[in-house]
Amino acid sequence: MTPRRAPKSVSAADLLGTLGRLTARARAGAELQLARVELAEALQREMLPGSLPALPGLRSAARYAPARHGLDIGGDWYDGFRLAEGGLAFSIGDVQGHDVEAAAFMGQVRVGVRAVSTVVVDPGEVLSRANDVLLSMDCELFATCTLLRFDPGTWTLESARAGHVPSVWATVDGSYGISDDEGGLPLGVEPGARYTVTRRRLDRAGSIVLLTDGVVEGPSFPIDVGLERVARVVREAAGADPDEIAAEIMKVADSTGHADDAAVLVLSHDAAGPPRR
């Protein structure tokens, strides 16, 4: 039987040296993670638009809040831009994943949707083509998205949704709801995906809210509860200043204890006039 060796004695100096090396390694790792988070946040904010378009009778505003603990930043975006024929387009979305890679991919998705929108009118077709572009990039990430197109000539709103959180709407007469339009798969998942378009004429003044899941979902906070809270906020303030509505909705995000990014985009609109002949 081989005799067991006596344990090697370790001096206090050895222990302190080992602890110092481990501390330095942990500090270096923490500093690297902090640098990545700061870079992701900088990319995120630089890629979000500095302003949103508006037309007489249609006003828009947006708010964004990074993840509470800085670890899940990088995936959410919103956008708004003018179309060649005089209309407006608005989008909001959320990239699966976080950190610098998600922030960079978010920028690609946002720009891709905007670029396709300049040559394609139908929102569903825009999402289909954007989906194919993302798949051609051979990236493992995917994104959810909602795209709206507003036609000032007919006062009609067309929308398509790619796996994203439903929008919320309310009118000044007290009607409100959570959009139940048919959606499709997230962008970047399956080739040839198709997206149904919902068309709605804005006959009554009110507000429409697009948001990401960080606004309405948190630890032990179900998404349906969050959506209902947002719906109540929008019902009480329908048609009001969109920036004020966005600020109130972000209070809902604070109440969920969200660990993810949170973004909201609000459109407040007047009632449609008589149809043009």
Side-chain angles (χ1 to χ4, degrees), residues 9-22:
S9 61
V10 180
S11 67
D14 290 336
L15 287 173
L16 289 175
T18 300
L19 180 60
R21 288 191 295 274
L22 292 173

Side-chain angles (χ1 to χ4, degrees), residues 21-43:
R21 288 191 295 274
L22 292 173
T23 301
R25 188 180 304 169
R27 180 181 300 165
E31 290 175 351
L32 176 61
Q33 176 61 25
L34 178 60
R36 289 178 65 87
V37 168
E38 291 177 346
L39 175 58
E41 184 170 4
L43 283 172

Side-chain angles (χ1 to χ4, degrees), residues 122-125 158-160 182 195-199:
D122 184 88
E125 183 63 22
E158 299 180 326
S159 64
E182 183 180 352
Y195 301 92
T196 301
V197 175
T198 299
R199 293 174 175 83

